[in-house]
């Protein structure tokens, strides 16, 4: 298995632009998580899905952030409009709900907003 | 709100030393505690602990959980430069399979 796939790996954009991050979970995994990691705040859960349904989005910082999971093999995290404080590494992780809860992380997308 | 605190924040040792990393937690309806290693990129899974007093071991790494005192330790013996990484501790509650992560311990092993 290729593991969790994220794209792009790096994104540099200007403040105010829309940014879309993509994730393909491991085949057969039915839970998907979006995290943000910064030096100041560490690894924070933004939102997670079970069976494509958003379960908890309390970690989404504000309305500029939105996430979708239209099917079991694809999810997006969108920031519109982006701001410099959104600069971080965004990780996607997946697991099998009801199993050991070990989450498998993708390689991350390093976002820089100038 | 679930909370995880790791100590020390950072640690510098020399190859061959033994290190102990600490993780304390507060969680409603505890289910499991997990340790991850993060080198340059994504966190990779090390251990999952659900029961007190049972040591999990993988090579030079071992971990144990104390559910009464609400903490876990991760031991690394005979450290190597390849052990240099951020070590993350996370807890999972019974409400779902969300993980709450601690801030991590940054370990540097010098030759």
């Amino acid at each position: 298995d290729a593991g969790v796939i994220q794209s792009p790996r790096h994104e540099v954009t200007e403040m105010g632009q829309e940014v879309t991050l993509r994730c393909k979970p491991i085949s057969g995994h039915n839970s998907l998580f979006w995290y943000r990691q910064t030096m100041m705040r560490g690894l924070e859960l933004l939102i997670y899905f079970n069976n494509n349904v958003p379960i908890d989005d309390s970690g989404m910082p504000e309305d500029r952030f939105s996430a979708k999971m239209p099917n079991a093999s694809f999810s997006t995290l969108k920031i519109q409009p982006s701001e410099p404080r959104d600069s971080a590494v965004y990780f996607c992780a997946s697991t099998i709900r009801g199993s050991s809860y070990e989450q498998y992380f993708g390689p991350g997308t390093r976002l820089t907003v100038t | 709100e679930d909370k995880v605190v790791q100590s020390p924040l950072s640690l510098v040792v020399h190859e061959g030393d033994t290190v102990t990393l600490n993780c304390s937690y507060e969680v409603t309806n505890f289910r499991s505690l997990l340790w991850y290693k993060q080198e340059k990129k994504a966190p990779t899974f090390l251990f999952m602990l659900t029961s007190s007093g049972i040591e999990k071991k993988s090579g030079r790494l071992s971990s144990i959980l104390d559910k009464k005192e609400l903490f876990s330790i991760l031991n690394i013996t005979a450290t190597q430069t390849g052990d240099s990484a951020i070590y993350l501790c996370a807890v999972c509650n019974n409400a779902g399979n969300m993980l709450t992560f601690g801030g991590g311990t940054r370990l540097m092993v010098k030759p």
Side-chain angles (χ1 to χ4, degrees), chain A residues 24-70:
Chain A
K24 176 178 168 52
I26 293 173
S27 177
H29 283 190
N30 55 5
S31 290
L32 183 141
F33 306 79
W34 282 101
Y35 291 91
R36 177 173 67 176
Q37 188 175 39
T38 61
M39 288 290 291
M40 292 295 294
R41 300 175 68 90
L43 198 59
E44 303 173 280
L45 177 67
L46 300 177
I47 185 172
Y48 82 98
F49 297 82
N50 282 342
N51 297 316
N52 313 338
V53 176
I55 302 300
D56 189 325
D57 65 354
S58 58
M60 297 285 262
E62 44 197 277
D63 292 345
R64 299 184 297 106
F65 285 69
S66 62
K68 294 182 179 179
M69 191 164 186

Side-chain angles (χ1 to χ4, degrees), chain B residues 17-53:
Chain B
D17 289 348
T18 293
V19 298
T20 298
L21 310 183
N22 304 293
C23 174
S24 63
Y25 63 88
E26 296 173 19
V27 61
T28 305
N29 297 319
F30 174 88
R31 185 180 187 100
S32 60
L33 184 144
L34 297 89
W35 283 96
Y36 283 82
K37 177 183 181 182
Q38 185 175 22
E39 296 177 82
K40 292 183 180 178
K41 297 182 179 176
T44 55
F45 174 78
L46 293 175
F47 299 111
M48 186 180 73
L49 303 158
T50 55
S51 302
S52 276

Side-chain angles (χ1 to χ4, degrees), chain B residues 79-91:
Chain B
T79 52
Q80 302 172 357
T81 55
D83 296 326
S84 297
I86 297 172
Y87 290 83
L88 296 166
C89 173
V91 293

Side-chain angles (χ1 to χ4, degrees), chain B residues 57-76:
Chain B
K57 196 170 174 64
S58 176
R60 296 176 294 101
L61 278 66
S62 63
S63 183
I64 198 161
L65 173 68
D66 186 328
K67 290 168 73 173
K68 181 179 178 183
E69 300 298 329
L70 308 182
F71 78 91
S72 174
I73 59 171
L74 175 68
N75 279 320
I76 308 175

